[in-house]
Amino acid sequence: MQDTDSIRPGEAAAPLPATADAGVYFIGRIRTPWPVRENCPRRGDPSGPECRIEVDPRWADALRGLAEHKRLQILYWMHQARRDLVLQTPGHSGQTTGTFALRSPVRPNPIASSIVDLVALAGTTITVRGLDCVDGTPLIDVKPVHEHA
């Protein structure tokens, strides 16, 4: 999704490559209470609402052993983000900054990562707290977080 009319003063866009270099398999969808990006928290809150991660049944065996982990890293595709800005001017700071120096969802590959608390695992549904994405966001991967002593 690219909206070239919404570039703020000081921002700049770059032309995107004609083709992609790799493919990604979406392995499920994330269900949250936020229907639009403007409603999402800036960072996931471990005391926030429970969210569901619905994993495609073909990946059910990949969830074996996941319930043993208290915290998970969730990788997801920010499918509503534009991908061509190299300079951005966030509304909260008003300061023009390079895309790679920001945690903005606007980036060439809009991949996000959240560390969440596992609440429950039932079948192919993972219930967590701490997400910050819109409802229906495509899921890329689930990884356990190994706490270091």
Side-chain angles (χ1 to χ4, degrees):
M1 169 193 269
Q2 292 182 28
D3 180 4
T4 55
D5 295 333
S6 65
I7 293 179
R8 297 177 179 142
E11 293 185 335
L16 294 173
T19 61
D21 295 317
V24 173
Y25 295 112
F26 295 147
I27 62 168
R29 294 280 166 178
I30 299 173
R31 300 296 171 197
T32 72
W34 306 292
V36 294
R37 193 173 123 195
E38 293 74 28
N39 296 80
C40 294
R42 282 196 182 273
R43 294 265 191 195
D45 181 357
S47 65
E50 289 186 0
C51 299
R52 290 185 335 274
I53 298 170
E54 298 172 346
V55 177
D56 184 296
R58 80 182 75 216
W59 305 110
D61 285 343
L63 297 171
R64 188 178 303 170
L66 190 68
E68 299 170 18
H69 300 277
K70 294 179 182 182
R71 302 189 80 212
L72 306 173
Q73 180 182 25
I74 307 302
L75 296 164
Y76 48 97
W77 189 264
M78 296 176 288
H79 61 295
Q80 296 179 358
R82 66 183 293 160
R83 301 176 68 176
D84 62 340
L85 291 185
V86 293
L87 293 176
Q88 299 181 49
T89 307
H92 70 276
S93 73
Q95 186 172 357
T96 300
T97 306
T99 291
F100 298 142
L102 296 170
R103 291 197 50 88
S104 165
V106 178
R107 41 201 340 102
N109 293 303
I111 298 169
S113 172
S114 288
I115 303 297
V116 300
D117 292 332
L118 175 63
V119 175
L121 174 61
T124 57
T125 300
I126 308 166
T127 304
V128 300
R129 288 187 188 274
L131 280 172
D132 58 357
C133 60
V134 298
D135 186 50
T137 294
L139 176 66
I140 296 174
D141 207 350
V142 177
K143 299 180 181 196
V145 172
H146 298 284
E147 305 292 341
H148 299 285

